[in-house]
Amino acid sequence: MKKYLFFFFLFPALNGWAQHDSIRTDVKLNVLAPMLGLADISLEHRLCKNFSLTGEFGYQVYGFPKGDTQWVKPSGYRAIVELRRYNLFGGGEKYYSLTGWYCGVDLFYKYNRYNETLTYLNENDTLTHHDSFSMEKNVFGGNLILGYQSVFAKHFCFDIHGGPGMMYRSIIDHNIEFGMVHGDYFSGGKDLAPFFAEQDYRASSGTTFSLRFSLGIGYIIN
């Protein structure tokens, strides 16, 4: 988190990046998305004066294999719509450009499926059991956004933003063999809910806190 805050406030402090270079439309790549296995692209366009609308789409291009049995091919995607308001602190009323500090709100939807593993015990023996199964997750929600966008090298832009929000997620497991009715239990105890919640299993379905952080590099179309 300290690293994120450092980058968040470092770049706006570099006043050599011309805030008043004009941006009406730009296309950006999220450079953090590959860490999640995603290829992510967004298009931003000025609606009027200090307001813009952004559409973003990410597609999972690779997964992180878990376990010996691969029930599904890992896949997923996400879609985000974001409304921004620039010129937060005044001083640019006669120059409307998608640069400087901005605030906004977004709505998002995410879907992905992947393979998981679980190690558990059974009260009728002393063996350690291993289970491989698949997970399917649907998530939708919204965030409040605070960010900063600037121009560099005339035709390129840098965008950093983040913020908290809320989301609802529905998580379903498939082909799981674990069953408490058969005397199975997790090594941490028979109450599996804390473990499921930690691993994003079915027990963690419901409404929860959301946090977004994005770092984009883009090309200015006009």
Side-chain angles (χ1 to χ4, degrees):
M1 180 61 69
K2 291 183 178 179
K3 291 182 179 179
Y4 292 159
L5 291 176
F6 173 76
F7 284 110
F8 192 86
F9 290 104
L10 171 64
F11 288 96
L14 302 179
N15 293 324
W17 293 30
Q19 174 172 333
H20 289 304
D21 286 346
S22 179
I23 301 178
R24 291 178 57 89
T25 306
D26 62 70
V27 59
K28 291 187 286 282
L29 294 176
N30 185 339
V31 298
L32 300 181
M35 293 190 297
L36 302 176
L38 294 170
D40 188 285
I41 189 171
S42 64
L43 177 67
E44 180 183 17
H45 181 70
R46 195 183 82 182
L47 294 177
C48 60
K49 293 186 178 180
N50 297 306
F51 289 89
S52 75
L53 185 67
T54 297
E56 182 175 341
F57 183 79
Y59 184 79
Q60 185 173 347
V61 294
Y62 61 89
F64 304 93
K66 290 186 178 182
D68 298 327
T69 303
Q70 299 296 300
W71 291 99
V72 298
K73 179 181 179 180
S75 62
Y77 60 89
R78 67 181 181 185
I80 305 172
V81 177
E82 181 180 315
L83 180 66
R84 296 180 176 182
R85 201 283 186 187
Y86 284 86
N87 192 28
L88 285 185
F89 305 112
E93 293 81 359
K94 296 182 180 180
Y95 194 96
Y96 301 117
S97 174
L98 306 183
T99 53
W101 287 100
Y102 63 83
C103 63
V105 58
D106 72 25
L107 296 175
F108 63 84
Y109 172 76
K110 303 177 184 179
Y111 168 83
N112 69 310
R113 62 179 185 176
Y114 51 95
N115 299 289
E116 263 296 353
T117 61
L118 171 65
T119 300
Y120 62 93
L121 306 173
N122 186 281
E123 59 187 18
N124 298 316
D125 58 48
T126 58
L127 301 176
T128 298
H129 301 267
H130 303 277
D131 192 5
S132 296
F133 52 98
S134 64
M135 307 293 298
E136 186 174 10
K137 180 160 58 175
N138 290 274
V139 182
F140 61 90
N143 296 295
L144 298 176
I145 299 297
L146 177 65
Y148 186 90
Q149 181 161 264
S150 187
V151 175
F152 68 97
K154 293 185 179 180
H155 300 292
F156 297 91
C157 60
F158 169 86
D159 180 26
I160 183 171
H161 64 269
M166 297 295 294
M167 65 180 178
Y168 175 82
R169 55 187 180 185
S170 171
I171 304 172
I172 303 174
D173 53 65
H174 300 280
N175 307 302
I176 189 169
E177 296 181 356
F178 179 93
M180 293 179 64
V181 295
H182 302 298
D184 297 334
Y185 65 95
F186 176 57
S187 58
K190 291 190 176 183
D191 183 8
L192 200 61
F195 174 73
F196 270 9
E198 179 181 349
Q199 299 295 327
D200 274 356
Y201 294 169
R202 180 185 297 170
S204 61
S205 292
T207 303
T208 186
F209 178 75
S210 170
L211 182 63
R212 181 184 178 191
F213 183 80
S214 180
L215 182 64
I217 300 294
Y219 179 77
I220 300 170
I221 298 176
N222 58 39

mmCIF file with all atom_site columns, all heavy atoms in Angstrom, residues 54-65:
data_model
loop_
_atom_site.group_PDB
_atom_site.id
_atom_site.type_symbol
_atom_site.label_atom_id
_atom_site.label_alt_id
_atom_site.label_comp_id
_atom_site.label_asym_id
_atom_site.label_entity_id
_atom_site.label_seq_id
_atom_site.pdbx_PDB_ins_code
_atom_site.Cartn_x
_atom_site.Cartn_y
_atom_site.Cartn_z
_atom_site.occupancy
_atom_site.B_iso_or_equiv
_atom_site.pdbx_formal_charge
_atom_site.auth_seq_id
_atom_site.auth_comp_id
_atom_site.auth_asym_id
_atom_site.auth_atom_id
_atom_site.pdbx_PDB_model_num
ATOM 1  N N   . THR A 1 54 ? -15.342 6.759   -19.702 1.00 0.00 ? 54 THR A N   1
ATOM 2  C CA  . THR A 1 54 ? -14.337 5.751   -20.043 1.00 0.00 ? 54 THR A CA  1
ATOM 3  C C   . THR A 1 54 ? -14.980 4.374   -20.089 1.00 0.00 ? 54 THR A C   1
ATOM 4  O O   . THR A 1 54 ? -15.745 3.997   -19.194 1.00 0.00 ? 54 THR A O   1
ATOM 5  C CB  . THR A 1 54 ? -13.199 5.734   -19.005 1.00 0.00 ? 54 THR A CB  1
ATOM 6  O OG1 . THR A 1 54 ? -12.530 6.995   -19.016 1.00 0.00 ? 54 THR A OG1 1
ATOM 7  C CG2 . THR A 1 54 ? -12.188 4.638   -19.318 1.00 0.00 ? 54 THR A CG2 1
ATOM 8  N N   . GLY A 1 55 ? -14.658 3.623   -21.128 1.00 0.00 ? 55 GLY A N   1
ATOM 9  C CA  . GLY A 1 55 ? -15.036 2.224   -21.220 1.00 0.00 ? 55 GLY A CA  1
ATOM 10 C C   . GLY A 1 55 ? -13.780 1.373   -21.197 1.00 0.00 ? 55 GLY A C   1
ATOM 11 O O   . GLY A 1 55 ? -12.817 1.656   -21.919 1.00 0.00 ? 55 GLY A O   1
ATOM 12 N N   . GLU A 1 56 ? -13.762 0.367   -20.348 1.00 0.00 ? 56 GLU A N   1
ATOM 13 C CA  . GLU A 1 56 ? -12.564 -0.464  -20.187 1.00 0.00 ? 56 GLU A CA  1
ATOM 14 C C   . GLU A 1 56 ? -12.936 -1.934  -20.274 1.00 0.00 ? 56 GLU A C   1
ATOM 15 O O   . GLU A 1 56 ? -13.962 -2.371  -19.754 1.00 0.00 ? 56 GLU A O   1
ATOM 16 C CB  . GLU A 1 56 ? -11.914 -0.166  -18.830 1.00 0.00 ? 56 GLU A CB  1
ATOM 17 C CG  . GLU A 1 56 ? -10.630 -0.928  -18.568 1.00 0.00 ? 56 GLU A CG  1
ATOM 18 C CD  . GLU A 1 56 ? -9.959  -0.510  -17.258 1.00 0.00 ? 56 GLU A CD  1
ATOM 19 O OE1 . GLU A 1 56 ? -10.286 0.584   -16.748 1.00 0.00 ? 56 GLU A OE1 1
ATOM 20 O OE2 . GLU A 1 56 ? -9.106  -1.261  -16.765 1.00 0.00 ? 56 GLU A OE2 1
ATOM 21 N N   . PHE A 1 57 ? -12.081 -2.708  -20.942 1.00 0.00 ? 57 PHE A N   1
ATOM 22 C CA  . PHE A 1 57 ? -12.333 -4.150  -21.074 1.00 0.00 ? 57 PHE A CA  1
ATOM 23 C C   . PHE A 1 57 ? -11.028 -4.904  -20.867 1.00 0.00 ? 57 PHE A C   1
ATOM 24 O O   . PHE A 1 57 ? -9.989  -4.543  -21.420 1.00 0.00 ? 57 PHE A O   1
ATOM 25 C CB  . PHE A 1 57 ? -12.902 -4.483  -22.451 1.00 0.00 ? 57 PHE A CB  1
ATOM 26 C CG  . PHE A 1 57 ? -13.241 -5.942  -22.620 1.00 0.00 ? 57 PHE A CG  1
ATOM 27 C CD1 . PHE A 1 57 ? -14.407 -6.455  -22.078 1.00 0.00 ? 57 PHE A CD1 1
ATOM 28 C CD2 . PHE A 1 57 ? -12.379 -6.784  -23.297 1.00 0.00 ? 57 PHE A CD2 1
ATOM 29 C CE1 . PHE A 1 57 ? -14.712 -7.799  -22.219 1.00 0.00 ? 57 PHE A CE1 1
ATOM 30 C CE2 . PHE A 1 57 ? -12.676 -8.133  -23.446 1.00 0.00 ? 57 PHE A CE2 1
ATOM 31 C CZ  . PHE A 1 57 ? -13.852 -8.642  -22.915 1.00 0.00 ? 57 PHE A CZ  1
ATOM 32 N N   . GLY A 1 58 ? -11.094 -5.959  -20.068 1.00 0.00 ? 58 GLY A N   1
ATOM 33 C CA  . GLY A 1 58 ? -9.937  -6.808  -19.829 1.00 0.00 ? 58 GLY A CA  1
ATOM 34 C C   . GLY A 1 58 ? -10.286 -8.263  -20.083 1.00 0.00 ? 58 GLY A C   1
ATOM 35 O O   . GLY A 1 58 ? -11.387 -8.719  -19.751 1.00 0.00 ? 58 GLY A O   1
ATOM 36 N N   . TYR A 1 59 ? -9.349  -8.988  -20.676 1.00 0.00 ? 59 TYR A N   1
ATOM 37 C CA  . TYR A 1 59 ? -9.562  -10.407 -20.991 1.00 0.00 ? 59 TYR A CA  1
ATOM 38 C C   . TYR A 1 59 ? -8.401  -11.215 -20.427 1.00 0.00 ? 59 TYR A C   1
ATOM 39 O O   . TYR A 1 59 ? -7.235  -10.833 -20.577 1.00 0.00 ? 59 TYR A O   1
ATOM 40 C CB  . TYR A 1 59 ? -9.656  -10.600 -22.503 1.00 0.00 ? 59 TYR A CB  1
ATOM 41 C CG  . TYR A 1 59 ? -9.963  -12.026 -22.906 1.00 0.00 ? 59 TYR A CG  1
ATOM 42 C CD1 . TYR A 1 59 ? -11.263 -12.525 -22.840 1.00 0.00 ? 59 TYR A CD1 1
ATOM 43 C CD2 . TYR A 1 59 ? -8.947  -12.878 -23.347 1.00 0.00 ? 59 TYR A CD2 1
ATOM 44 C CE1 . TYR A 1 59 ? -11.546 -13.828 -23.197 1.00 0.00 ? 59 TYR A CE1 1
ATOM 45 C CE2 . TYR A 1 59 ? -9.225  -14.185 -23.707 1.00 0.00 ? 59 TYR A CE2 1
ATOM 46 C CZ  . TYR A 1 59 ? -10.530 -14.652 -23.631 1.00 0.00 ? 59 TYR A CZ  1
ATOM 47 O OH  . TYR A 1 59 ? -10.803 -15.959 -23.986 1.00 0.00 ? 59 TYR A OH  1
ATOM 48 N N   . GLN A 1 60 ? -8.734  -12.340 -19.774 1.00 0.00 ? 60 GLN A N   1
ATOM 49 C CA  . GLN A 1 60 ? -7.699  -13.177 -19.183 1.00 0.00 ? 60 GLN A CA  1
ATOM 50 C C   . GLN A 1 60 ? -6.999  -13.977 -20.272 1.00 0.00 ? 60 GLN A C   1
ATOM 51 O O   . GLN A 1 60 ? -7.614  -14.787 -20.959 1.00 0.00 ? 60 GLN A O   1
ATOM 52 C CB  . GLN A 1 60 ? -8.306  -14.130 -18.146 1.00 0.00 ? 60 GLN A CB  1
ATOM 53 C CG  . GLN A 1 60 ? -7.261  -14.952 -17.409 1.00 0.00 ? 60 GLN A CG  1
ATOM 54 C CD  . GLN A 1 60 ? -7.864  -15.762 -16.272 1.00 0.00 ? 60 GLN A CD  1
ATOM 55 O OE1 . GLN A 1 60 ? -8.994  -15.544 -15.872 1.00 0.00 ? 60 GLN A OE1 1
ATOM 56 N NE2 . GLN A 1 60 ? -7.094  -16.700 -15.751 1.00 0.00 ? 60 GLN A NE2 1
ATOM 57 N N   . VAL A 1 61 ? -5.705  -13.777 -20.423 1.00 0.00 ? 61 VAL A N   1
ATOM 58 C CA  . VAL A 1 61 ? -4.941  -14.446 -21.477 1.00 0.00 ? 61 VAL A CA  1
ATOM 59 C C   . VAL A 1 61 ? -4.117  -15.614 -20.949 1.00 0.00 ? 61 VAL A C   1
ATOM 60 O O   . VAL A 1 61 ? -3.626  -16.431 -21.726 1.00 0.00 ? 61 VAL A O   1
ATOM 61 C CB  . VAL A 1 61 ? -4.021  -13.436 -22.201 1.00 0.00 ? 61 VAL A CB  1
ATOM 62 C CG1 . VAL A 1 61 ? -4.849  -12.421 -22.960 1.00 0.00 ? 61 VAL A CG1 1
ATOM 63 C CG2 . VAL A 1 61 ? -3.098  -12.732 -21.209 1.00 0.00 ? 61 VAL A CG2 1
ATOM 64 N N   . TYR A 1 62 ? -3.933  -15.684 -19.644 1.00 0.00 ? 62 TYR A N   1
ATOM 65 C CA  . TYR A 1 62 ? -3.259  -16.842 -19.064 1.00 0.00 ? 62 TYR A CA  1
ATOM 66 C C   . TYR A 1 62 ? -3.673  -16.981 -17.608 1.00 0.00 ? 62 TYR A C   1
ATOM 67 O O   . TYR A 1 62 ? -4.160  -16.031 -16.982 1.00 0.00 ? 62 TYR A O   1
ATOM 68 C CB  . TYR A 1 62 ? -1.731  -16.734 -19.178 1.00 0.00 ? 62 TYR A CB  1
ATOM 69 C CG  . TYR A 1 62 ? -1.124  -15.549 -18.455 1.00 0.00 ? 62 TYR A CG  1
ATOM 70 C CD1 . TYR A 1 62 ? -0.738  -15.648 -17.119 1.00 0.00 ? 62 TYR A CD1 1
ATOM 71 C CD2 . TYR A 1 62 ? -0.907  -14.342 -19.114 1.00 0.00 ? 62 TYR A CD2 1
ATOM 72 C CE1 . TYR A 1 62 ? -0.169  -14.566 -16.465 1.00 0.00 ? 62 TYR A CE1 1
ATOM 73 C CE2 . TYR A 1 62 ? -0.335  -13.265 -18.478 1.00 0.00 ? 62 TYR A CE2 1
ATOM 74 C CZ  . TYR A 1 62 ? 0.034   -13.383 -17.153 1.00 0.00 ? 62 TYR A CZ  1
ATOM 75 O OH  . TYR A 1 62 ? 0.589   -12.311 -16.514 1.00 0.00 ? 62 TYR A OH  1
ATOM 76 N N   . GLY A 1 63 ? -3.539  -18.207 -17.081 1.00 0.00 ? 63 GLY A N   1
ATOM 77 C CA  . GLY A 1 63 ? -3.915  -18.484 -15.707 1.00 0.00 ? 63 GLY A CA  1
ATOM 78 C C   . GLY A 1 63 ? -2.725  -18.985 -14.910 1.00 0.00 ? 63 GLY A C   1
ATOM 79 O O   . GLY A 1 63 ? -1.597  -19.046 -15.403 1.00 0.00 ? 63 GLY A O   1
ATOM 80 N N   . PHE A 1 64 ? -3.000  -19.367 -13.658 1.00 0.00 ? 64 PHE A N   1
ATOM 81 C CA  . PHE A 1 64 ? -1.969  -19.869 -12.767 1.00 0.00 ? 64 PHE A CA  1
ATOM 82 C C   . PHE A 1 64 ? -2.388  -21.265 -12.315 1.00 0.00 ? 64 PHE A C   1
ATOM 83 O O   . PHE A 1 64 ? -3.219  -21.407 -11.415 1.00 0.00 ? 64 PHE A O   1
ATOM 84 C CB  . PHE A 1 64 ? -1.798  -18.929 -11.573 1.00 0.00 ? 64 PHE A CB  1
ATOM 85 C CG  . PHE A 1 64 ? -1.502  -17.509 -11.973 1.00 0.00 ? 64 PHE A CG  1
ATOM 86 C CD1 . PHE A 1 64 ? -2.523  -16.580 -12.115 1.00 0.00 ? 64 PHE A CD1 1
ATOM 87 C CD2 . PHE A 1 64 ? -0.205  -17.114 -12.232 1.00 0.00 ? 64 PHE A CD2 1
ATOM 88 C CE1 . PHE A 1 64 ? -2.253  -15.274 -12.496 1.00 0.00 ? 64 PHE A CE1 1
ATOM 89 C CE2 . PHE A 1 64 ? 0.078   -15.810 -12.612 1.00 0.00 ? 64 PHE A CE2 1
ATOM 90 C CZ  . PHE A 1 64 ? -0.949  -14.893 -12.750 1.00 0.00 ? 64 PHE A CZ  1
ATOM 91 N N   . PRO A 1 65 ? -1.845  -22.333 -12.955 1.00 0.00 ? 65 PRO A N   1
ATOM 92 C CA  . PRO A 1 65 ? -2.288  -23.708 -12.679 1.00 0.00 ? 65 PRO A CA  1
ATOM 93 C C   . PRO A 1 65 ? -2.140  -24.086 -11.212 1.00 0.00 ? 65 PRO A C   1
ATOM 94 O O   . PRO A 1 65 ? -1.155  -23.744 -10.559 1.00 0.00 ? 65 PRO A O   1
ATOM 95 C CB  . PRO A 1 65 ? -1.355  -24.554 -13.568 1.00 0.00 ? 65 PRO A CB  1
ATOM 96 C CG  . PRO A 1 65 ? -0.890  -23.611 -14.628 1.00 0.00 ? 65 PRO A CG  1
ATOM 97 C CD  . PRO A 1 65 ? -0.778  -22.274 -13.967 1.00 0.00 ? 65 PRO A CD  1
#
